[in-house]
Amino acid sequence: MSTIELKKELHKIIDEGDSNFVKSFYEIVKDFINKTENSKMIQESEEDIEAGRIHSLVEVKNILKNWKE
């Protein structure tokens, strides 16, 4: 099934669904998007750690202190 066909089918499913279904479907999609974004951030963080792009607790405290000023 092509992307266009999938989108049409999803629109049809949503249009025909009751409010409870639409709300549940929305929550499932939002959760999926959030998990995907979180997985990407975790992967990037692991790459930073492996490459040595890290800060000590003291450095982070100083960075935050400077942001407040």
Side-chain angles (χ1 to χ4, degrees):
M1 195 178 269
S2 72
T3 302
I4 292 173
E5 291 170 325
L6 288 171
K7 287 181 178 183
K8 285 180 182 178
E9 183 67 20
L10 285 170
H11 281 283
K12 180 181 174 190
I13 291 168
I14 291 168
D15 289 341
E16 293 175 357
D18 65 10
S19 63
N20 287 332
F21 170 79
V22 173
K23 288 176 185 175
S24 295
F25 184 75
Y26 173 81
E27 291 301 322
I28 290 168
V29 172
K30 288 300 288 182
D31 285 344
F32 175 79
I33 291 169
N34 287 337
K35 286 179 183 176
T36 301
E37 290 173 356
N38 288 341
S39 293
K40 182 181 175 188
M41 289 188 325
I42 290 169
Q43 180 62 35
E44 290 172 354
S45 297
E46 289 174 349
E47 290 169 4
D48 285 341
I49 291 168
E50 288 177 12
R53 295 184 298 262
I54 58 174
H55 296 285
S56 69
L57 180 59
V58 172
E59 291 171 324
V60 172
K61 286 181 179 182
N62 286 333
I63 291 168
L64 292 174
K65 181 181 173 185
N66 289 333
W67 280 355
K68 291 179 182 180
E69 293 177 355

